Amino acid sequence: MIFSEQWLREWVNPSLSSEMLAEQLTMAGLEVDAITPVAGSFEGVVVAEIVSAEQHPDADKLRVCTVNAGDKTVQIVCGAPNARVGLKAPLARLGAVLPGNFKIKKAKLRGLDSQGMLCAAAELSLSEEKDGLLELAPDAPVGQDLRDYLALNDVTLELGLTPNRADCLGIAGIARDVAVLNQLMACEPAVEPIQPTIDTTFSIEVTASAQCPRYLGRVIENVDLTATTPLYMVERLRRSGLRTIDPVVDVTNYVMLEMGQPLHAFDLDTLSGGILVRESMPDESMTLLDGSEIALTEGALVIADHQRPLALAGIMGGANSGVTAETRSIFLESAFFTPALIAGRARGYGLHTDASHRYERGVDWQLQRRAIERATELLLTVTGGSAGAVTEVVSPEDLPSQSTLVLRAERIERVLGLAMPEDEVTRILQGLGFTVTFDGSSSWSCVAPSWRFDMSQEVDLIEELARVHGYNRLPSSHIEAKLQITPVSEARRSLRTLRQGLVARGFQEAITFSFVAPEQQAVFWPETAAVKVKNPISSEMSEMRLGLLTGLAGAVAHNVKRQNSRVRLFETGNRFTQGQPYSEQVMLGIAMSGAKASENWADDSSRVDFFDMKGEIEQILTGTEVTFTTSCHAGLHDGQTADIRLNGSMIGYLGTVHPQAAKLLDIPANTVFAELDLNAVRQGRVPSYEDISRFPETRRDIAVVVRRELEVGEVLRAVRDVAGPGLADLNLFDIYTGSGVSDDQKSVALGLTFRDRSRTLDDEEVSAIVNQVIDFLKENFDAELRA
């Protein structure tokens, strides 16, 4: 928000310099990013009128002008294309000093004397315009100092407003804060309802009341768009960064800067039937005021008549209904659009306008009638004409509600560290527009004004008190808190320990967005409905992630493209699934791609595979009863995917990316992913001490031939169950397929280690247990002992 300091001081004029005012605003949360003079430093420049303009006898592009400077007439040789008889423009007289310490002296141009210089706006540092002389109003007083005439002893302040302070996107909101900060009254212009002088109205119908709860319109006939916009208005618009266009557009822009309410005017003669506020129809398009043609997206809110769309609601008007120099009757609109439902619409079309900037953040929903009355008053003054009655369509149930917040004195003192007097609390909040009722002892009931959409809890009120009272005036004190240590189970591993363990094993932690692209998410969850983002930054970030794999896949691709041949990443974060309104689950995601180990002389260059990831999962879940069962998951290879089960319950899955998915995601085909429930991973088991046995171990190796499709995990579980407590260790050391084994079978070699804590086991006992294991495998899995 850029505004003129002089304009603000017409509303409220504290006894502060420009620098002190900027400091005060910044400390109150309205950060001033820049203080800029509205014009360069110059002197000796006056308002002058060209009395005659003749072609220079020796130069095609120069004119010899006779200029009335007020006290005398001088000859000026000028090359500006718009130099003409009757034009009033700035004249730098002899001896004048222009920006850059450029002094005006008597000179000869192609043999003719030039006693000064007629100036363009750029030469006075008023703007970047340098193609012609700065044209002043026809009624500009000849001979008056230009700085006085244009009131150039002024600066502009540029505010870097946070999104919650949309109420300060107008002079009225800024003046309100300045008045409260300095304990002054703001002098707001009086706005009286304009009595209709014609009976003409234009019908309004709103079919999308949730998006547009309030819409007002008024017909104004016999306007004169050849009229000149008043100098004060032109200058205030210029100093706010807006150029003057025509009286109607200038007035609507002026009211927007003054009150914060965007307005729009249609050429009434181009409208048909009536105004219809509706959602767009299929395959509908329109041409905007900037000349661009857009295809309207589904559900886009438009202002239309009975034939075509006229404007993109809250963003920009259409080219076919805008006012022109030939316009004689206008339809003036003033509306409130629900911020949450209109946010992001402009970005979807690649647009950002002053109107969309305000509507997305929230416009005062009780301001529309006052704004249209103010604009009508200014239009009738500038362009003349006759105004009809205001037509209003409102849906009360769709308008924002004003809830009552309770503010406690004890809470103020606890948060701010000082006991604020009751009268100061009331003064500050009432000055900011709150309706305040004090209970007589220790609390206030506060209703937020209609222009504050960010007041939802008690601490918001305390923040208002703090910024107006002054952050630099708050006392410094030691933080005191009654802390109670929450007991944590010894079996539960900390997240920090888990992260450190993964880093120690060569992984790096990744942090990816919770917002993902729908087409990338569909690779892993093609049939699962995701939580949609209401106001996405872009279409690539329009869904909440259903798991961590999408972000990790992007991180893998990012690293591989930068010649990282070995990628090992992990991430902890939430996944989001649909619910009421949605549910979150904390997950651990792991990705491995490329070489197993960093390049060195001792290790081979083999690539990671499913079993490397399985080993990492077993390492993470050391000390627990973790098992893996074959499964399927979209985006992962059917033959290399497994569910991860802990104590019989599924806690996650792992798998190698499917070749087609790898191509879509632009990642290596040997990339392996895993995703686990983080809470389950952290729930470990308290270690218990056991004495080291003094008795020797006995190992027996067996090799059994089983069906090729049989999961080895089932064999291992069966062996553990049958062997009983005497089995100290079970090791799978070989799986063989090939010569000597039929094509539909495989050989599984197991090492069984036996030990008893109380005695030495003899060969007969060990052989008996091994025979029981072999018999069980034969009976249940059709296994054969391999010679």
Side-chain angles (χ1 to χ4, degrees):
M1 175 66 183
I2 304 175
F3 62 94
S4 159
E5 181 186 1
Q6 286 183 356
W7 192 6
L8 174 65
R9 289 186 181 275
E10 288 187 8
W11 286 64
V12 57
N13 191 11
S15 301
L16 300 172
S17 66
S18 300
E19 291 73 18
M20 292 175 64
L21 176 62
E23 174 69 15
Q24 185 183 67
L25 288 170
T26 297
M27 293 305 296
L30 307 179
E31 184 177 1
V32 177
D33 291 336
I35 306 176
T36 308
V38 300
S41 176
F42 63 84
E43 60 183 26
V45 181
V46 299
V47 177
E49 182 179 5
I50 299 177
V51 178
S52 67
E54 298 178 357
Q55 186 66 43
H56 193 291
D58 297 326
D60 293 337
K61 295 184 177 180
L62 296 180
R63 287 181 174 84
V64 181
C65 301
T66 303
V67 179
N68 178 9
D71 56 348
K72 63 180 179 178
T73 300
V74 296
Q75 177 176 287
I76 305 293
V77 179
C78 177
N82 62 336
R84 62 186 184 274
V85 175
L87 174 68
K88 291 186 177 179
L91 170 65
R93 310 180 72 163
L94 294 178
V97 180
L98 300 187
N101 199 32
F102 179 70
K103 296 180 180 180
I104 302 299
K105 301 177 181 178
K106 186 175 181 180
K108 279 193 175 184
L109 295 178
R110 293 292 182 97
L112 295 181
D113 290 337
S114 184
Q115 300 172 324
M117 185 177 78
L118 291 169
C119 300
E123 291 164 331
L124 302 175
S125 297
L126 290 172
S127 72
E128 300 297 324
E129 297 285 341
K130 56 183 178 181
D131 294 335
L133 301 178
L134 173 62
E135 299 192 14
L136 303 177
D139 60 351
V142 174
Q144 185 176 4
D145 187 279
L146 186 71
R147 299 197 73 92
D148 294 336
Y149 172 63
L150 295 180
L152 297 179
N153 297 317
D154 185 18
V155 298
T156 61
L157 302 179
E158 181 177 354
L159 299 184
L161 295 173
T162 52
N164 66 309
R165 292 310 307 272
D167 58 302
C168 288
L169 288 170
I171 289 291
I174 301 169
R176 184 188 304 114
D177 270 30
V178 173
V180 175
L181 290 168
N182 295 279
Q183 301 187 36
L184 300 172
M185 294 294 294
C187 301
E188 188 172 357
V191 179
E192 299 295 335
I194 301 298
Q195 297 302 317
T197 56
I198 57 174
D199 297 330
T200 309
T201 59
F202 203 61
S203 66
I204 299 172
E205 181 183 358
V206 179
T207 61
S209 60
Q211 297 185 63
C212 180
R214 174 173 281 142
Y215 189 95
L216 290 82
R218 157 179 271 162
V219 172
I220 304 178
E221 295 180 342
N222 300 319
V223 295
D224 179 13
L225 267 73
T226 64
T228 302
T229 304
L231 177 64
Y232 78 89
M233 191 177 294
V234 172
E235 279 298 300
R236 287 173 180 177
L237 291 174
R238 180 182 70 82
R239 296 174 196 188
S240 298
L242 300 180
R243 64 186 179 90
T244 182
I245 298 175
D246 61 55
V248 172
V249 175
D250 292 346
V251 165
T252 57
N253 284 337
Y254 183 83
V255 173
M256 178 185 69
L257 292 174
E258 182 181 70
M259 294 184 167
Q261 170 67 52
L263 301 165
H264 186 68
F266 300 96
D267 186 335
L268 183 63
D269 294 332
T270 66
L271 308 185
S272 174
I275 290 292
L276 181 60
V277 184
R278 59 170 174 82
E279 293 185 352
S280 60
M281 298 179 180
D283 303 322
E284 199 167 31
S285 63
M286 66 177 296
T287 302
L288 300 176
L289 281 172
D290 62 359
S292 62
E293 185 169 346
I294 60 169
L296 297 174
T297 57
E298 182 182 356
L301 187 66
V302 297
I303 311 300
D305 61 11
H306 290 185
Q307 290 186 349
R308 68 190 191 282
L310 306 172
L312 199 53
I315 301 174
M316 188 181 291
N320 297 327
S321 60
V323 296
T324 65
E326 290 73 35
T327 299
R328 292 296 173 263
S329 299
I330 64 171
F331 177 78
L332 183 64
E333 75 161 19
S334 178
F336 170 74
F337 302 111
T338 305
L341 298 180
I342 203 168
R345 296 285 176 84
R347 285 197 300 274
Y349 296 103
L351 299 171
H352 183 269
T353 64
D354 290 313
S356 68
H357 187 78
R358 286 163 172 79
Y359 279 126
E360 288 180 347
R361 287 156 176 77
V363 171
D364 181 359
W365 52 273
Q366 294 184 355
L367 182 61
Q368 288 68 49
R369 181 171 288 273
R370 180 177 174 83
I372 202 171
E373 296 288 3
R374 172 65 168 160
T376 303
E377 175 190 357
L378 293 173
L379 283 170
L380 295 181
T381 302
V382 176
T383 67
S386 304
V390 174
T391 303
E392 179 177 8
V393 176
V394 62
S395 174
E397 61 272 14
D398 292 312
L399 288 171
S401 59
Q402 294 175 286
S403 57
T404 300
L405 301 177
V406 175
L407 177 63
R408 297 164 292 170
E410 173 270 331
R411 179 71 168 165
I412 297 173
E413 184 173 1
R414 182 148 56 94
V415 174
L416 301 184
L418 82 162
M420 193 172 290
E422 177 271 328
D423 58 343
E424 184 178 4
V425 173
T426 302
R427 177 189 66 80
I428 291 174
L429 294 179
Q430 286 182 342
L432 293 174
F434 290 81
T435 301
V436 182
T437 304
F438 184 56
D439 70 353
S441 59
S442 62
S443 67
W444 296 260
S445 295
C446 307
V447 179
S450 54
W451 55 82
R452 292 301 296 268
F453 292 83
D454 58 335
M455 297 290 110
S456 60
Q457 48 190 335
E458 184 181 23
V459 71
D460 295 327
L461 300 174
I462 297 176
E463 181 184 3
E464 295 299 293
L465 297 176
R467 70 181 188 86
V468 174
H469 178 79
Y471 292 116
N472 54 350
R473 294 175 57 199
L474 296 177
S476 299
S477 59
H478 295 292
I479 297 175
E480 295 182 3
K482 297 179 181 179
L483 302 179
Q484 184 175 4
I485 299 176
T486 303
V488 178
S489 171
E490 189 177 354
R492 186 170 178 81
R493 287 188 292 179
S494 70
L495 185 57
R496 180 180 180 183
T497 301
L498 177 64
R499 286 170 170 162
Q500 289 177 337
L502 286 164
V503 170
R505 295 186 61 80
F507 287 89
Q508 291 179 307
E509 184 172 11
I511 301 175
T512 64
F513 283 112
S514 297
F515 315 121
V516 296
E519 59 274 13
Q520 292 184 352
Q521 181 147 266
V523 173
F524 296 110
W525 294 276
E527 299 179 358
T528 305
V531 177
K532 302 291 183 181
V533 180
K534 288 185 176 180
N535 183 20
I537 298 173
S538 67
S539 58
E540 287 77 24
M541 306 179 77
S542 59
E543 287 186 355
M544 303 299 291
R545 62 187 178 192
L546 291 163
L548 305 185
L549 268 57
T550 309
L552 286 174
V556 170
H558 183 84
N559 279 269
V560 170
K561 289 175 182 177
R562 285 154 181 79
Q563 290 81 47
N564 190 347
S565 60
R566 182 173 182 264
V567 182
R568 295 165 69 89
L569 301 173
F570 77 93
E571 180 179 11
T572 58
N574 290 359
R575 64 187 293 263
F576 302 84
T577 54
Q578 287 192 344
Q580 296 295 331
Y582 62 87
S583 60
E584 301 180 41
Q585 184 180 11
V586 188
M587 306 297 289
L588 167 66
I590 306 175
M592 298 172 64
S593 184
K596 284 187 178 182
S598 300
E599 185 178 6
N600 64 81
W601 66 272
D603 288 327
D604 59 26
S605 58
S606 58
R607 318 287 284 176
V608 296
D609 57 21
F610 171 87
F611 295 103
D612 293 309
M613 179 65 80
K614 179 174 176 288
E616 296 294 344
I617 301 299
E618 290 175 334
Q619 180 64 34
I620 293 171
L621 298 174
T622 297
T624 63
E625 297 181 7
V626 58
T627 57
F628 302 86
T629 57
T630 302
S631 67
C632 297
H633 192 286
L636 301 181
H637 203 296
D638 289 348
Q640 301 178 43
T641 303
D643 288 338
I644 306 169
R645 296 185 177 275
L646 187 63
N647 301 322
S649 300
M650 179 179 167
I651 65 166
Y653 57 89
L654 75 155
T656 305
V657 67
H658 193 280
Q660 292 181 354
K663 185 176 181 180
L664 289 171
L665 298 170
D666 199 16
I667 59 177
N670 76 314
T671 304
V672 190
F673 294 105
E675 188 173 28
L676 302 90
D677 181 348
L678 184 59
N679 287 324
V681 171
R682 294 178 60 190
Q683 193 59 47
R685 184 167 60 186
V686 179
S688 58
Y689 173 76
E690 291 183 356
D691 290 333
I692 299 175
S693 176
R694 296 182 294 108
F695 301 98
E697 297 176 341
T698 300
R699 171 166 171 156
R700 297 289 176 87
D701 293 345
I702 61 172
V704 293
V705 178
V706 296
R707 301 186 311 276
R708 178 169 288 198
E709 67 271 13
L710 179 65
E711 293 183 11
V712 176
E714 292 188 45
V715 177
L716 297 179
R717 287 190 291 273
V719 171
R720 288 192 182 95
D721 291 341
V722 175
L727 182 66
D729 189 27
L730 175 62
N731 180 38
L732 169 68
F733 63 87
D734 184 42
I735 298 178
Y736 173 76
T737 57
S739 178
V741 179
S742 62
D743 293 341
D744 60 346
Q745 292 183 319
K746 60 186 174 185
S747 172
V748 179
L750 307 174
L752 289 77
T753 302
F754 297 92
R755 183 180 61 232
D756 192 286
R757 293 186 171 279
S758 61
R759 60 189 178 85
T760 301
L761 296 174
D762 55 34
D763 288 344
E764 289 78 8
E765 290 177 292
V766 173
S767 297
I769 297 174
V770 172
N771 290 333
Q772 288 179 1
V773 169
I774 294 173
D775 293 341
F776 185 87
L777 296 179
K778 287 181 179 179
E779 181 178 347
N780 291 274
F781 301 114
D782 294 327
E784 296 179 4
L785 190 64
R786 185 180 175 204

